[in-house]
Amino acid sequence: MKNLSFIILVLLVSCTGSHQSKEDQFVQNLLSQMTLEEKVGQLNQRTSQWEMTGPAPESSSDLLEDLKKGNVGSMLNVAGVAETYEAQKIVVENSRLGIPLLFAYDVIHGYQTMMPIPLGESASWNPQLVEESAKAIAEETAAAGVHWTFAPMIDVGRDARWGRVMEGAGEDPFLTSALAVARVKGFQGNDLEETNTIAACAKHFAAYAFAEAGREYNTVEIGDETLHNIVFPPFKATTEAGVATVMNAFNTIQGLPATANSYLQRDLLKGQWNFDGFVVSDWNSIGEIQTHGAASDLKEAAERAIKAGSDMDMEASAYVKYLAELVEQRRVDEALVDDAVRRVLHLKYRMGLFRDPFRYCNEVKEKEVIGSQAIHELSRKVARESMVLLKNEEQLLPLSKDVKSIAVIGPLANDKDVPLGSWRAKAITNSAVSVFEGIQNAVSADVSVQYSKGCNLAINERSFYTELTLSETEQADFNDALDLAKNSEVVVLVIGEDCFQSGEGRSQTDITLKGQQLNLFQAIYEVNKNVVVVLMNGRPVAIPELAQKAPAILETWFAGNQAGHAIADVLFGAYNPSGKLPMTFPRNVGQCPIYYNHKNTGRPNKSDEHVFWSHYTDSPNSPLYPFGYGLSYTTFEYSDLKLNKNEMTTLDSVMVSVKVKNIGERIGEEVVQLYIRDLAATYARPVLELKGFEKIELKAGEEKVLTFSLSAKELGYYLPNGSFQFEKGAFKVFVGTNSQELLEASFIVR
Ligand code: GLC
């Protein structure tokens, strides 16, 4: 019966050819039939009872009854064709209008087949590859009956103490914007009606990563100039790219909860940026308006949230409890509810769910697509490009396949689960290829490849403590590893973090390697100098001792299901590493937050005579490894940095060209980076700002001239009031292989 009403509605809409689009007519007609309670139901998002990604709801009303009454517009954490079909059937067959549910899930770096964590994938600096990865992830997710992912997370992060830096694209707004747009395009494709696409969600709006002291969910105190120039650009870029939804943030900004911030959600997002999708709250962030102390009760929290432009309520049950009452008491204008509902209905229409609520439910496709060989091959390709070669003295890498014996040592050396990372959706436990397996697979049978754990990861049931002394069993493991290292030609030492040391709720005050890992390295290095350190971590880690002593260090992040094969591809040179750090690596946690695009300060320069300059007395200011850093097995030479003019007006542009040559022995990829500096502006500008990059492949001896264009868009900046400004004056332009090794030129804007 329900579908008949839709068919009539669709027929009615299709036969009137008025100027209003068929979609608008359909949505408007449907909205006009809805009761206030049914409208509020569309703004209510509930989690499945079998999987939680936040504190369990206290008063979880009878979900089944709510579904039957049409009091739920979307569910999260329901995944799988059978599960989504069952839930959809309840709603479509029992509620009066049968408006289908939207199914959402946190598919952050894979549905079942894990790609590298987003921070790792971002180290590829390859938007095309990132888009390809997101497209494949969307195909797996859609095949599981899920319509919507809560990704990409595009919080620009500068503080390695914050566990969620693993979810983002690092510290720079330009790189984050480019990769965020790539992910949105990959997820959403060109037409959300296609059943191999999913709606994306740009999150968290806004400034969540600026939590004070890197402490999860902490207060955010941030200036408007930083908001407009660092935090907002990726959100503006994804809005321009057509992102279907935006998720707001838990934190306050200058004392105002983001969820209750109408400047953010109405003036900026839906106003200036013309965002036509909808805003979903983060888990209970509407309820937390009261916890912040910005509402006296849940009803007031609901009132503030809807007025501020929070359209859908995730798991606070604030709207379903109080919104109708607020409208009836004329505290909330029903037009605000209508606007929110309209936005939700538009997305359901665009995904074809009114035509067929079960169009994503195809069990044959589910079996074919999920876990396919193709997506695993892509995962290996993405993983290879995500890896960053941090050190390679005496060209220890790539390893020769003629090596006689390899010791694969460390708490992560044969771990098949940690490489899957956190935020792992439906990943299959222990389904990753371990480093030990990858190396065994890469060499011939006559090469001895042996494994020894050496020590624990200093974790216990996913809660963390540091073992100050070796336990009995660990002493035996330690000795076993040393014996193996002594009697092997090469040691591959795999150390780092547990995958759940980063992610949501995983801030740390210490970013060194926990437990006995460093002692294990020191002991091994004493008996065998040929040690390749393979790092697995979800945040920048402070590894000054390794940086000083280890001959070779490969950063692999959490590289996903194909980690072991991809790491072996790089270790043996089947792939020449090309990754560049998307986030600065500090020497120590005391430097956090540390980032390349910092302001100059009034006393930047070192003085030998006195202490009155910007520095620490117990650490250099410089990072251990800078933003944009990453080595290759070959060498790229930069020369001939040229500008087509040394003066320009604010209305034209300057062309920057540079020659890059591969002067090594093997083919390789290089991320050519372009930075600017505005030397004098009304507001102090950063000493460096990334404004262009291009990843190129050059054969041995090959050279290429690259050209970049700089105009107002790249050279201007936002004033604290959000207006864009391009001021005259002196500029510098820099091009190079990372944010510290750069050729430099100057020009004037007249
Ligand atoms: C979590 C996260 C958010 C996620 C949501 C649903 O608390 O903050 O990123 O999408 O809840 O799981």
Side-chain angles (χ1 to χ4, degrees), residues 53 76 106 150 164 203-204 247 250 282-283 314 504:
T53 50
L76 69 149
D106 289 284
F150 294 135
R164 299 195 75 166
K203 71 183 186 181
H204 305 80
M247 182 183 294
F250 291 121
D282 201 339
W283 186 288
M314 182 198 297
E504 185 172 0

Side-chain angles (χ1 to χ4, degrees), residues 621-661:
N621 287 353
S622 61
L624 188 64
Y625 296 113
F627 174 78
Y629 175 86
L631 301 176
S632 168
Y633 292 149
T634 187
T635 306
F636 296 98
E637 179 188 70
Y638 285 71
S639 62
D640 292 353
L641 176 61
K642 289 177 186 159
L643 308 182
N644 69 337
K645 61 182 79 163
N646 292 319
E647 289 196 5
M648 65 180 276
T649 70
T650 57
L651 300 176
D652 64 32
S653 59
V654 60
M655 304 306 287
V656 182
S657 67
V658 68
K659 185 188 288 182
V660 183
K661 183 174 184 178

